[in-house]
Amino acid sequence: MKILGYIYRIVSNFAFLALVYYSLNHVEKYQHRAIIAILVLVYASMRAISALRSFHFFQKIERLELVARRLAELAAEGPAAASARKQIVVEVGALRRDGEAKSYIDLFFLAMVMLLCVAKIVTD
């Protein structure tokens, strides 16, 4: 499922990039093309800001993982409880790393879209 999540993220972002490229290349008038490029640029900027804010959230989760590991070591309730807590911490860590990787994928494609939009605005 992890690989399917990455594939879905790449395919959906590539489809967005292709849609923007197709739209900007088939508009004849510069004014219309510039308006479309500016609107897409604003949308991509908002999504990029959201992706960058998620990294702050991932940092908070990482700090919580460290605290949870320390508390699991201190609490001596038995081997079954300790192993269950460790398993939860490991799963949360894996989900955090997957989320970060997906955010990096989003940022890469959004940067490509932004470059495309700026290139279409600058060129006549």
Side-chain angles (χ1 to χ4, degrees):
M1 288 305 285
K2 183 177 9 176
I3 294 174
L4 288 176
Y6 291 139
I7 291 172
Y8 171 75
R9 190 64 62 116
I10 290 170
V11 168
S12 64
N13 282 319
F14 185 78
F16 177 63
L17 177 66
L19 180 70
V20 170
Y21 181 78
Y22 180 78
S23 298
L24 292 176
N25 280 336
H26 283 79
V27 174
E28 298 295 326
K29 291 186 177 180
Y30 174 77
Q31 290 82 11
H32 298 297
R33 187 171 56 231
I35 290 171
I36 292 172
I38 289 170
L39 290 175
V40 171
L41 190 61
V42 168
Y43 173 73
S45 299
M46 290 185 333
R47 276 190 57 198
I49 289 170
S50 175
L52 289 172
R53 284 188 62 214
S54 69
F55 284 113
H56 178 70
F57 177 68
F58 292 137
Q59 283 179 337
K60 299 289 185 188
I61 292 175
E62 187 174 13
R63 275 194 237 145
L64 285 174
E65 284 176 47
L66 294 174
V67 171
R69 285 184 192 190
R70 273 191 282 149
L71 289 176
E73 291 171 1
L74 293 176
E77 295 179 5
S83 66
R85 284 192 189 112
K86 286 181 183 179
Q87 181 65 28
I88 291 171
V89 170
V90 168
E91 289 175 4
V92 168
L95 290 173
R96 179 186 52 81
R97 285 188 298 278
D98 291 344
E100 286 177 347
K102 289 176 183 177
S103 293
Y104 281 124
I105 292 170
D106 286 344
L107 286 174
F108 172 74
F109 279 101
L110 289 171
M112 298 291 286
V113 167
M114 288 179 182
L115 286 174
L116 179 65
C117 290
V118 169
K120 289 298 178 178
I121 291 171
V122 172
T123 61
D124 188 21

